[in-house]
Structure formats: structure tokens, C-alpha cells
PDB file of all heavy atoms in Angstrom:
ATOM      1  N   ALA A1192     111.358 131.823 144.788  1.00  0.00           N
ATOM      2  CA  ALA A1192     110.445 130.994 145.575  1.00  0.00           C
ATOM      3  C   ALA A1192     111.164 130.207 146.669  1.00  0.00           C
ATOM      4  O   ALA A1192     110.556 129.864 147.681  1.00  0.00           O
ATOM      5  CB  ALA A1192     109.681 130.037 144.650  1.00  0.00           C
ATOM      6  N   ASP A1193     112.438 129.898 146.475  1.00  0.00           N
ATOM      7  CA  ASP A1193     113.145 129.110 147.477  1.00  0.00           C
ATOM      8  C   ASP A1193     114.614 129.519 147.508  1.00  0.00           C
ATOM      9  O   ASP A1193     115.093 130.275 146.672  1.00  0.00           O
ATOM     10  CB  ASP A1193     113.013 127.613 147.181  1.00  0.00           C
ATOM     11  CG  ASP A1193     113.453 127.267 145.758  1.00  0.00           C
ATOM     12  OD1 ASP A1193     114.045 128.132 145.080  1.00  0.00           O
ATOM     13  OD2 ASP A1193     113.208 126.130 145.319  1.00  0.00           O
ATOM     14  N   GLY A1194     115.306 128.991 148.514  1.00  0.00           N
ATOM     15  CA  GLY A1194     116.732 129.252 148.658  1.00  0.00           C
ATOM     16  C   GLY A1194     117.032 130.461 149.525  1.00  0.00           C
ATOM     17  O   GLY A1194     116.196 131.364 149.685  1.00  0.00           O
ATOM     18  N   PRO A1195     118.240 130.521 150.112  1.00  0.00           N
ATOM     19  CA  PRO A1195     118.640 131.677 150.920  1.00  0.00           C
ATOM     20  C   PRO A1195     118.686 132.949 150.080  1.00  0.00           C
ATOM     21  O   PRO A1195     119.018 132.915 148.889  1.00  0.00           O
ATOM     22  CB  PRO A1195     120.038 131.291 151.421  1.00  0.00           C
ATOM     23  CG  PRO A1195     120.116 129.808 151.275  1.00  0.00           C
ATOM     24  CD  PRO A1195     119.271 129.466 150.099  1.00  0.00           C
ATOM     25  N   VAL A1196     118.357 134.068 150.716  1.00  0.00           N
ATOM     26  CA  VAL A1196     118.253 135.344 150.009  1.00  0.00           C
ATOM     27  C   VAL A1196     118.976 136.418 150.804  1.00  0.00           C
ATOM     28  O   VAL A1196     118.818 136.520 152.029  1.00  0.00           O
ATOM     29  CB  VAL A1196     116.784 135.753 149.794  1.00  0.00           C
ATOM     30  CG1 VAL A1196     116.685 137.185 149.273  1.00  0.00           C
ATOM     31  CG2 VAL A1196     116.100 134.799 148.827  1.00  0.00           C
ATOM     32  N   LEU A1197     119.793 137.202 150.105  1.00  0.00           N
ATOM     33  CA  LEU A1197     120.333 138.449 150.638  1.00  0.00           C
ATOM     34  C   LEU A1197     119.502 139.568 150.030  1.00  0.00           C
ATOM     35  O   LEU A1197     119.540 139.777 148.814  1.00  0.00           O
ATOM     36  CB  LEU A1197     121.803 138.595 150.283  1.00  0.00           C
ATOM     37  CG  LEU A1197     122.440 139.971 150.545  1.00  0.00           C
ATOM     38  CD1 LEU A1197     122.404 140.309 152.022  1.00  0.00           C
ATOM     39  CD2 LEU A1197     123.869 140.022 150.024  1.00  0.00           C
ATOM     40  N   TYR A1198     118.751 140.270 150.866  1.00  0.00           N
ATOM     41  CA  TYR A1198     117.788 141.263 150.389  1.00  0.00           C
ATOM     42  C   TYR A1198     118.280 142.655 150.748  1.00  0.00           C
ATOM     43  O   TYR A1198     118.496 142.969 151.936  1.00  0.00           O
ATOM     44  CB  TYR A1198     116.419 141.000 151.023  1.00  0.00           C
ATOM     45  CG  TYR A1198     115.309 141.897 150.549  1.00  0.00           C
ATOM     46  CD1 TYR A1198     114.581 141.588 149.404  1.00  0.00           C
ATOM     47  CD2 TYR A1198     114.965 143.060 151.249  1.00  0.00           C
ATOM     48  CE1 TYR A1198     113.541 142.401 148.971  1.00  0.00           C
ATOM     49  CE2 TYR A1198     113.945 143.882 150.820  1.00  0.00           C
ATOM     50  CZ  TYR A1198     113.238 143.551 149.679  1.00  0.00           C
ATOM     51  OH  TYR A1198     112.210 144.373 149.241  1.00  0.00           O
ATOM     52  N   ILE A1199     118.480 143.496 149.735  1.00  0.00           N
ATOM     53  CA  ILE A1199     118.876 144.887 149.948  1.00  0.00           C
ATOM     54  C   ILE A1199     117.665 145.761 149.649  1.00  0.00           C
ATOM     55  O   ILE A1199     117.134 145.753 148.527  1.00  0.00           O
ATOM     56  CB  ILE A1199     120.047 145.294 149.032  1.00  0.00           C
ATOM     57  CG1 ILE A1199     121.198 144.274 149.125  1.00  0.00           C
ATOM     58  CG2 ILE A1199     120.530 146.688 149.370  1.00  0.00           C
ATOM     59  CD1 ILE A1199     121.895 144.238 150.440  1.00  0.00           C
ATOM     60  N   GLY A1200     117.182 146.503 150.645  1.00  0.00           N
ATOM     61  CA  GLY A1200     116.007 147.336 150.425  1.00  0.00           C
ATOM     62  C   GLY A1200     115.687 148.171 151.637  1.00  0.00           C
ATOM     63  O   GLY A1200     116.126 147.883 152.759  1.00  0.00           O
ATOM     64  N   THR A1201     114.895 149.208 151.422  1.00  0.00           N
ATOM     65  CA  THR A1201     114.524 150.109 152.516  1.00  0.00           C
ATOM     66  C   THR A1201     113.307 149.613 153.283  1.00  0.00           C
ATOM     67  O   THR A1201     113.048 150.078 154.393  1.00  0.00           O
ATOM     68  CB  THR A1201     114.225 151.510 151.954  1.00  0.00           C
ATOM     69  OG1 THR A1201     113.196 151.403 150.950  1.00  0.00           O
ATOM     70  CG2 THR A1201     115.474 152.109 151.323  1.00  0.00           C
ATOM     71  N   THR A1202     112.555 148.675 152.711  1.00  0.00           N
ATOM     72  CA  THR A1202     111.386 148.107 153.382  1.00  0.00           C
ATOM     73  C   THR A1202     111.618 146.623 153.623  1.00  0.00           C
ATOM     74  O   THR A1202     112.408 145.984 152.916  1.00  0.00           O
ATOM     75  CB  THR A1202     110.116 148.305 152.535  1.00  0.00           C
ATOM     76  OG1 THR A1202     110.301 147.690 151.251  1.00  0.00           O
ATOM     77  CG2 THR A1202     109.834 149.796 152.343  1.00  0.00           C
ATOM     78  N   PRO A1203     110.934 146.036 154.604  1.00  0.00           N
ATOM     79  CA  PRO A1203     111.180 144.625 154.926  1.00  0.00           C
ATOM     80  C   PRO A1203     110.830 143.717 153.756  1.00  0.00           C
ATOM     81  O   PRO A1203     109.958 144.030 152.937  1.00  0.00           O
ATOM     82  CB  PRO A1203     110.254 144.373 156.125  1.00  0.00           C
ATOM     83  CG  PRO A1203     109.955 145.720 156.684  1.00  0.00           C
ATOM     84  CD  PRO A1203     109.971 146.668 155.533  1.00  0.00           C
ATOM     85  N   PRO A1204     111.491 142.571 153.653  1.00  0.00           N
ATOM     86  CA  PRO A1204     111.131 141.600 152.614  1.00  0.00           C
ATOM     87  C   PRO A1204     109.699 141.114 152.819  1.00  0.00           C
ATOM     88  O   PRO A1204     109.274 140.908 153.965  1.00  0.00           O
ATOM     89  CB  PRO A1204     112.146 140.468 152.821  1.00  0.00           C
ATOM     90  CG  PRO A1204     113.252 141.066 153.623  1.00  0.00           C
ATOM     91  CD  PRO A1204     112.643 142.133 154.459  1.00  0.00           C
ATOM     92  N   PRO A1205     108.949 140.943 151.765  1.00  0.00           N
ATOM     93  CA  PRO A1205     107.570 140.457 151.909  1.00  0.00           C
ATOM     94  C   PRO A1205     107.529 139.094 152.592  1.00  0.00           C
ATOM     95  O   PRO A1205     108.379 138.234 152.358  1.00  0.00           O
ATOM     96  CB  PRO A1205     107.079 140.366 150.452  1.00  0.00           C
ATOM     97  CG  PRO A1205     107.977 141.282 149.692  1.00  0.00           C
ATOM     98  CD  PRO A1205     109.301 141.232 150.372  1.00  0.00           C
ATOM     99  N   GLY A1206     106.541 138.934 153.460  1.00  0.00           N
ATOM    100  CA  GLY A1206     106.359 137.663 154.146  1.00  0.00           C
ATOM    101  C   GLY A1206     107.241 137.449 155.345  1.00  0.00           C
ATOM    102  O   GLY A1206     107.326 136.329 155.856  1.00  0.00           O
ATOM    103  N   THR A1207     107.901 138.501 155.847  1.00  0.00           N
ATOM    104  CA  THR A1207     108.773 138.378 157.010  1.00  0.00           C
ATOM    105  C   THR A1207     108.328 139.336 158.101  1.00  0.00           C
ATOM    106  O   THR A1207     107.646 140.334 157.846  1.00  0.00           O
ATOM    107  CB  THR A1207     110.233 138.675 156.649  1.00  0.00           C
ATOM    108  OG1 THR A1207     110.347 140.042 156.208  1.00  0.00           O
ATOM    109  CG2 THR A1207     110.723 137.752 155.552  1.00  0.00           C
ATOM    110  N   THR A1208     108.709 139.015 159.320  1.00  0.00           N
ATOM    111  CA  THR A1208     108.443 139.879 160.470  1.00  0.00           C
ATOM    112  C   THR A1208     109.770 140.368 161.017  1.00  0.00           C
ATOM    113  O   THR A1208     110.521 139.589 161.627  1.00  0.00           O
ATOM    114  CB  THR A1208     107.684 139.113 161.566  1.00  0.00           C
ATOM    115  OG1 THR A1208     106.459 138.612 161.039  1.00  0.00           O
ATOM    116  CG2 THR A1208     107.391 140.023 162.747  1.00  0.00           C
ATOM    117  N   PRO A1209     110.119 141.630 160.794  1.00  0.00           N
ATOM    118  CA  PRO A1209     111.423 142.139 161.251  1.00  0.00           C
ATOM    119  C   PRO A1209     111.551 142.077 162.765  1.00  0.00           C
ATOM    120  O   PRO A1209     110.579 142.230 163.507  1.00  0.00           O
ATOM    121  CB  PRO A1209     111.439 143.580 160.743  1.00  0.00           C
ATOM    122  CG  PRO A1209     110.418 143.622 159.658  1.00  0.00           C
ATOM    123  CD  PRO A1209     109.360 142.642 160.052  1.00  0.00           C
ATOM    124  N   LYS A1210     112.758 141.843 163.214  1.00  0.00           N
ATOM    125  CA  LYS A1210     113.042 141.868 164.648  1.00  0.00           C
ATOM    126  C   LYS A1210     113.250 143.295 165.128  1.00  0.00           C
ATOM    127  O   LYS A1210     112.916 143.619 166.269  1.00  0.00           O
ATOM    128  CB  LYS A1210     114.282 141.011 164.924  1.00  0.00           C
ATOM    129  CG  LYS A1210     114.093 139.567 164.503  1.00  0.00           C
ATOM    130  CD  LYS A1210     115.360 138.752 164.613  1.00  0.00           C
ATOM    131  CE  LYS A1210     115.128 137.328 164.144  1.00  0.00           C
ATOM    132  NZ  LYS A1210     116.339 136.485 164.188  1.00  0.00           N
ATOM    133  N   LEU A1211     113.818 144.122 164.256  1.00  0.00           N
ATOM    134  CA  LEU A1211     113.938 145.552 164.546  1.00  0.00           C
ATOM    135  C   LEU A1211     112.717 146.253 163.965  1.00  0.00           C
ATOM    136  O   LEU A1211     112.472 146.178 162.760  1.00  0.00           O
ATOM    137  CB  LEU A1211     115.206 146.131 163.923  1.00  0.00           C
ATOM    138  CG  LEU A1211     116.521 145.995 164.693  1.00  0.00           C
ATOM    139  CD1 LEU A1211     117.654 146.578 163.871  1.00  0.00           C
ATOM    140  CD2 LEU A1211     116.453 146.663 166.044  1.00  0.00           C
ATOM    141  N   GLY A1212     111.975 146.925 164.816  1.00  0.00           N
ATOM    142  CA  GLY A1212     110.837 147.692 164.328  1.00  0.00           C
ATOM    143  C   GLY A1212     111.281 149.040 163.793  1.00  0.00           C
ATOM    144  O   GLY A1212     111.995 149.785 164.481  1.00  0.00           O
ATOM    145  N   LEU A1213     110.889 149.370 162.577  1.00  0.00           N
ATOM    146  CA  LEU A1213     111.261 150.634 161.936  1.00  0.00           C
ATOM    147  C   LEU A1213     109.981 151.341 161.532  1.00  0.00           C
ATOM    148  O   LEU A1213     109.409 151.093 160.466  1.00  0.00           O
ATOM    149  CB  LEU A1213     112.146 150.376 160.709  1.00  0.00           C
ATOM    150  CG  LEU A1213     113.431 149.575 160.959  1.00  0.00           C
ATOM    151  CD1 LEU A1213     114.130 149.254 159.643  1.00  0.00           C
ATOM    152  CD2 LEU A1213     114.362 150.326 161.886  1.00  0.00           C
ATOM    153  N   ALA A1214     109.503 152.225 162.408  1.00  0.00           N
ATOM    154  CA  ALA A1214     108.252 152.936 162.130  1.00  0.00           C
ATOM    155  C   ALA A1214     108.253 154.240 162.921  1.00  0.00           C
ATOM    156  O   ALA A1214     108.803 154.329 164.024  1.00  0.00           O
ATOM    157  CB  ALA A1214     107.042 152.084 162.516  1.00  0.00           C
ATOM    158  N   ASN A1215     107.612 155.249 162.315  1.00  0.00           N
ATOM    159  CA  ASN A1215     107.444 156.562 162.963  1.00  0.00           C
ATOM    160  C   ASN A1215     108.782 157.167 163.384  1.00  0.00           C
ATOM    161  O   ASN A1215     108.872 157.851 164.420  1.00  0.00           O
ATOM    162  CB  ASN A1215     106.512 156.446 164.180  1.00  0.00           C
ATOM    163  CG  ASN A1215     105.157 155.897 163.822  1.00  0.00           C
ATOM    164  OD1 ASN A1215     104.587 156.229 162.776  1.00  0.00           O
ATOM    165  ND2 ASN A1215     104.618 155.028 164.682  1.00  0.00           N
ATOM    166  N   GLY A1216     109.829 156.908 162.580  1.00  0.00           N
ATOM    167  CA  GLY A1216     111.134 157.485 162.869  1.00  0.00           C
ATOM    168  C   GLY A1216     111.815 156.906 164.076  1.00  0.00           C
ATOM    169  O   GLY A1216     112.727 157.537 164.630  1.00  0.00           O
ATOM    170  N   ARG A1217     111.393 155.714 164.501  1.00  0.00           N
ATOM    171  CA  ARG A1217     111.984 155.076 165.670  1.00  0.00           C
ATOM    172  C   ARG A1217     112.524 153.691 165.295  1.00  0.00           C
ATOM    173  O   ARG A1217     112.065 153.056 164.356  1.00  0.00           O
ATOM    174  CB  ARG A1217     110.964 154.909 166.804  1.00  0.00           C
ATOM    175  CG  ARG A1217     110.201 156.152 167.180  1.00  0.00           C
ATOM    176  CD  ARG A1217     111.074 157.163 167.873  1.00  0.00           C
ATOM    177  NE  ARG A1217     111.600 156.687 169.153  1.00  0.00           N
ATOM    178  CZ  ARG A1217     112.389 157.425 169.939  1.00  0.00           C
ATOM    179  NH1 ARG A1217     112.739 158.654 169.559  1.00  0.00           N
ATOM    180  NH2 ARG A1217     112.843 156.942 171.076  1.00  0.00           N
ATOM    181  N   ILE A1218     113.532 153.238 166.061  1.00  0.00           N
ATOM    182  CA  ILE A1218     114.056 151.875 165.974  1.00  0.00           C
ATOM    183  C   ILE A1218     113.744 151.188 167.296  1.00  0.00           C
ATOM    184  O   ILE A1218     114.195 151.633 168.353  1.00  0.00           O
ATOM    185  CB  ILE A1218     115.572 151.862 165.722  1.00  0.00           C
ATOM    186  CG1 ILE A1218     115.919 152.559 164.412  1.00  0.00           C
ATOM    187  CG2 ILE A1218     116.099 150.432 165.699  1.00  0.00           C
ATOM    188  CD1 ILE A1218     117.408 152.633 164.142  1.00  0.00           C
ATOM    189  N   THR A1219     112.972 150.117 167.236  1.00  0.00           N
ATOM    190  CA  THR A1219     112.561 149.430 168.460  1.00  0.00           C
ATOM    191  C   THR A1219     112.939 147.958 168.364  1.00  0.00           C
ATOM    192  O   THR A1219     112.909 147.342 167.287  1.00  0.00           O
ATOM    193  CB  THR A1219     111.048 149.552 168.688  1.00  0.00           C
ATOM    194  OG1 THR A1219     110.352 149.035 167.553  1.00  0.00           O
ATOM    195  CG2 THR A1219     110.660 151.009 168.894  1.00  0.00           C
ATOM    196  N   LEU A1220     113.275 147.392 169.506  1.00  0.00           N
ATOM    197  CA  LEU A1220     113.612 145.983 169.609  1.00  0.00           C
ATOM    198  C   LEU A1220     113.216 145.517 170.997  1.00  0.00           C
ATOM    199  O   LEU A1220     113.672 146.062 172.001  1.00  0.00           O
ATOM    200  CB  LEU A1220     115.113 145.754 169.386  1.00  0.00           C
ATOM    201  CG  LEU A1220     115.617 144.332 169.598  1.00  0.00           C
ATOM    202  CD1 LEU A1220     114.990 143.383 168.585  1.00  0.00           C
ATOM    203  CD2 LEU A1220     117.138 144.263 169.511  1.00  0.00           C
ATOM    204  N   ALA A1221     112.343 144.533 171.054  1.00  0.00           N
ATOM    205  CA  ALA A1221     111.884 143.993 172.334  1.00  0.00           C
ATOM    206  C   ALA A1221     111.843 142.475 172.207  1.00  0.00           C
ATOM    207  O   ALA A1221     111.111 141.932 171.386  1.00  0.00           O
ATOM    208  CB  ALA A1221     110.505 144.537 172.694  1.00  0.00           C
ATOM    209  N   ASP A1222     112.642 141.810 173.033  1.00  0.00           N
ATOM    210  CA  ASP A1222     112.678 140.351 173.016  1.00  0.00           C
ATOM    211  C   ASP A1222     113.150 139.885 174.378  1.00  0.00           C
ATOM    212  O   ASP A1222     114.226 140.258 174.838  1.00  0.00           O
ATOM    213  CB  ASP A1222     113.620 139.847 171.924  1.00  0.00           C
ATOM    214  CG  ASP A1222     113.400 138.367 171.636  1.00  0.00           C
ATOM    215  OD1 ASP A1222     113.272 137.593 172.608  1.00  0.00           O
ATOM    216  OD2 ASP A1222     113.349 137.989 170.464  1.00  0.00           O
ATOM    217  N   ASP A1223     112.345 139.052 175.049  1.00  0.00           N
ATOM    218  CA  ASP A1223     112.680 138.646 176.407  1.00  0.00           C
ATOM    219  C   ASP A1223     113.907 137.724 176.450  1.00  0.00           C
ATOM    220  O   ASP A1223     114.519 137.551 177.495  1.00  0.00           O
ATOM    221  CB  ASP A1223     111.486 137.944 177.068  1.00  0.00           C
ATOM    222  CG  ASP A1223     110.976 136.760 176.242  1.00  0.00           C
ATOM    223  OD1 ASP A1223     111.482 136.573 175.126  1.00  0.00           O
ATOM    224  OD2 ASP A1223     110.073 136.063 176.722  1.00  0.00           O
ATOM    225  N   LYS A1224     114.284 137.143 175.306  1.00  0.00           N
ATOM    226  CA  LYS A1224     115.463 136.288 175.276  1.00  0.00           C
ATOM    227  C   LYS A1224     116.727 137.042 174.887  1.00  0.00           C
ATOM    228  O   LYS A1224     117.825 136.507 175.008  1.00  0.00           O
ATOM    229  CB  LYS A1224     115.254 135.136 174.283  1.00  0.00           C
ATOM    230  CG  LYS A1224     114.146 134.171 174.661  1.00  0.00           C
ATOM    231  CD  LYS A1224     114.062 133.056 173.632  1.00  0.00           C
ATOM    232  CE  LYS A1224     112.951 132.080 173.969  1.00  0.00           C
ATOM    233  NZ  LYS A1224     112.856 130.998 172.959  1.00  0.00           N
ATOM    234  N   GLY A1225     116.585 138.233 174.345  1.00  0.00           N
ATOM    235  CA  GLY A1225     117.714 138.933 173.775  1.00  0.00           C
ATOM    236  C   GLY A1225     118.550 139.678 174.782  1.00  0.00           C
ATOM    237  O   GLY A1225     118.368 139.581 175.994  1.00  0.00           O
ATOM    238  N   GLN A1226     119.478 140.491 174.233  1.00  0.00           N
ATOM    239  CA  GLN A1226     120.422 141.203 175.076  1.00  0.00           C
ATOM    240  C   GLN A1226     119.864 142.503 175.629  1.00  0.00           C
ATOM    241  O   GLN A1226     120.231 142.924 176.722  1.00  0.00           O
ATOM    242  CB  GLN A1226     121.692 141.517 174.267  1.00  0.00           C
ATOM    243  CG  GLN A1226     122.499 140.301 173.890  1.00  0.00           C
ATOM    244  CD  GLN A1226     123.700 140.711 173.058  1.00  0.00           C
ATOM    245  OE1 GLN A1226     123.623 140.789 171.859  1.00  0.00           O
ATOM    246  NE2 GLN A1226     124.811 140.974 173.720  1.00  0.00           N
ATOM    247  N   ALA A1227     118.996 143.179 174.871  1.00  0.00           N
ATOM    248  CA  ALA A1227     118.570 144.512 175.290  1.00  0.00           C
ATOM    249  C   ALA A1227     117.242 144.871 174.627  1.00  0.00           C
ATOM    250  O   ALA A1227     116.905 144.361 173.559  1.00  0.00           O
ATOM    251  CB  ALA A1227     119.633 145.546 174.918  1.00  0.00           C
ATOM    252  N   ASP A1228     116.491 145.741 175.299  1.00  0.00           N
ATOM    253  CA  ASP A1228     115.316 146.377 174.709  1.00  0.00           C
ATOM    254  C   ASP A1228     115.734 147.748 174.213  1.00  0.00           C
ATOM    255  O   ASP A1228     116.394 148.515 174.921  1.00  0.00           O
ATOM    256  CB  ASP A1228     114.192 146.519 175.734  1.00  0.00           C
ATOM    257  CG  ASP A1228     113.633 145.165 176.160  1.00  0.00           C
ATOM    258  OD1 ASP A1228     113.775 144.215 175.365  1.00  0.00           O
ATOM    259  OD2 ASP A1228     113.084 145.058 177.264  1.00  0.00           O
ATOM    260  N   ILE A1229     115.345 148.071 172.973  1.00  0.00           N
ATOM    261  CA  ILE A1229     115.825 149.288 172.327  1.00  0.00           C
ATOM    262  C   ILE A1229     114.640 150.115 171.865  1.00  0.00           C
ATOM    263  O   ILE A1229     113.661 149.591 171.325  1.00  0.00           O
ATOM    264  CB  ILE A1229     116.730 148.946 171.119  1.00  0.00           C
ATOM    265  CG1 ILE A1229     118.020 148.280 171.602  1.00  0.00           C
ATOM    266  CG2 ILE A1229     117.063 150.181 170.312  1.00  0.00           C
ATOM    267  CD1 ILE A1229     118.915 147.838 170.489  1.00  0.00           C
ATOM    268  N   ASP A1230     114.759 151.398 172.076  1.00  0.00           N
ATOM    269  CA  ASP A1230     113.814 152.372 171.510  1.00  0.00           C
ATOM    270  C   ASP A1230     114.610 153.641 171.249  1.00  0.00           C
ATOM    271  O   ASP A1230     114.857 154.442 172.148  1.00  0.00           O
ATOM    272  CB  ASP A1230     112.649 152.629 172.466  1.00  0.00           C
ATOM    273  CG  ASP A1230     111.574 153.515 171.837  1.00  0.00           C
ATOM    274  OD1 ASP A1230     111.797 154.005 170.713  1.00  0.00           O
ATOM    275  OD2 ASP A1230     110.518 153.701 172.456  1.00  0.00           O
ATOM    276  N   LEU A1231     115.040 153.805 169.985  1.00  0.00           N
ATOM    277  CA  LEU A1231     115.934 154.891 169.617  1.00  0.00           C
ATOM    278  C   LEU A1231     115.386 155.626 168.402  1.00  0.00           C
ATOM    279  O   LEU A1231     114.642 155.053 167.601  1.00  0.00           O
ATOM    280  CB  LEU A1231     117.333 154.345 169.278  1.00  0.00           C
ATOM    281  CG  LEU A1231     118.088 153.604 170.382  1.00  0.00           C
ATOM    282  CD1 LEU A1231     119.335 152.954 169.795  1.00  0.00           C
ATOM    283  CD2 LEU A1231     118.449 154.551 171.506  1.00  0.00           C
ATOM    284  N   PRO A1232     115.772 156.883 168.226  1.00  0.00           N
ATOM    285  CA  PRO A1232     115.394 157.580 166.988  1.00  0.00           C
ATOM    286  C   PRO A1232     116.169 157.015 165.803  1.00  0.00           C
ATOM    287  O   PRO A1232     117.347 156.680 165.923  1.00  0.00           O
ATOM    288  CB  PRO A1232     115.774 159.039 167.274  1.00  0.00           C
ATOM    289  CG  PRO A1232     116.809 158.968 168.349  1.00  0.00           C
ATOM    290  CD  PRO A1232     116.459 157.777 169.182  1.00  0.00           C
TER     291      PRO A1232
END
């Protein structure tokens, strides 16, 4: 319920919004503050 967590798993931790999108065999990352926009297999 509380405290920092190191989560090992193939799916995102419940209740979180991943920064890297992992869907349809693609890796996507879009953030106007970040270093790069990514769309890779």
C-alpha cells in the first residue's frame, strides 16, 4: 500500500501511466519536455 517499489514485470504496475508506450509491437515516447520523440519496433 505504501513505500517505494521496485516492480519486475512484463505489464505496467497497476495504477501507473507508463512514459514509454508498449503496445502493438511498438515502443513510443512523446514528451515536449524530454530529449526525443520515439516510435520504434
Side-chain angles (χ1 to χ4, degrees):
D1193 54 11
V1196 170
L1197 169 62
Y1198 184 86
I1199 309 293
T1201 56
T1202 58
T1207 63
T1208 302
K1210 300 173 182 178
L1211 276 177
L1213 303 174
N1215 302 321
R1217 309 290 296 180
I1218 300 177
T1219 57
L1220 174 64
D1222 195 316
D1223 55 354
K1224 295 182 181 179
Q1226 292 178 271
D1228 293 336
I1229 293 176
D1230 186 354
L1231 299 171

